[in-house]
Amino acid sequence: IGRSRGGLTTKIHMVTASDRAVVDFCLSPGQAHDAPVGRDLILSMKRRDEHHFLLADRAYEGDPTRLLFAELGYIPVIPPLRIRTEPWDYDKVMYRQRNEIERYFLRLKRFRKIFTRYDKLDILFTGFILFAIAIDAVLV
């Protein structure tokens, strides 16, 4: 559990293939930045030979993160921050599919134990997330 302005919080970082298929996930403290954890999560996955799109929000838009995604064979679809002096082009139609992961998180947060994070230990919280993922897969 990390401390942030919102109190004691934990972030769930997740890679999915669709709104029903979780590939991998990990936890980080609430005060930690998303990009380093996202890079580690992508590095832990099996490298693909063919090119796949990797959709991410603006928290992962830093140059090191985008370059790592490209080196690993992914096509990053990440919008630039508005304060960038030299913004890059990205596939806006493809980026709209990112709502699938947002919908998945909404379904996970229906479980009160995930929404409120009662567990003090990460292993217990991770176990319940896995349980919720399994329940969500059955309810299709």
Side-chain angles (χ1 to χ4, degrees):
I1 297 177
R3 293 193 178 272
S4 66
R5 288 181 290 180
L8 298 174
T9 59
T10 301
K11 292 181 185 177
I12 303 171
H13 304 270
M14 190 172 289
V15 177
T16 64
S18 69
D19 66 335
R20 294 282 180 182
V22 174
V23 176
D24 199 3
F25 76 94
C26 67
L27 304 176
S28 71
Q31 75 273 13
H33 194 276
D34 294 344
V37 179
R39 287 192 294 264
D40 294 340
L41 186 60
I42 293 295
L43 283 171
S44 70
M45 293 175 29
K46 183 180 174 185
R47 186 175 175 164
R48 302 281 183 181
D49 292 332
E50 64 274 359
H51 290 289
H52 291 285
F53 291 100
L54 193 133
L55 287 68
D57 63 5
R58 285 189 171 102
Y60 302 96
E61 72 91 39
D63 293 331
T65 306
R66 284 186 309 109
L67 291 174
L68 175 69
F69 293 167
E71 286 174 10
L72 293 176
Y74 296 102
I75 301 168
V77 181
I78 305 171
L81 288 175
R82 290 183 178 93
I83 60 171
R84 285 263 183 184
T85 56
E86 297 178 16
W88 55 85
D89 291 330
Y90 66 99
D91 190 348
K92 293 177 181 163
V93 174
M94 178 68 72
Y95 186 71
R96 288 184 194 150
Q97 292 181 1
R98 210 183 123 265
N99 72 45
E100 292 180 4
I101 186 71
E102 299 300 334
R103 289 194 318 252
Y104 193 80
F105 273 111
L106 285 175
R107 283 198 310 276
L108 279 183
K109 287 185 177 182
R110 289 181 189 161
F111 293 89
R112 186 174 182 205
K113 198 167 187 173
I114 293 176
F115 177 76
T116 55
R117 175 69 200 256
Y118 288 130
D119 299 316
K120 298 296 181 197
L121 299 176
D122 283 345
I123 193 160
L124 294 175
F125 189 55
T126 302
F128 192 78
I129 292 171
L130 289 170
F131 175 73
I133 288 170
I135 294 296
D136 186 64
V138 171
L139 295 178
V140 173

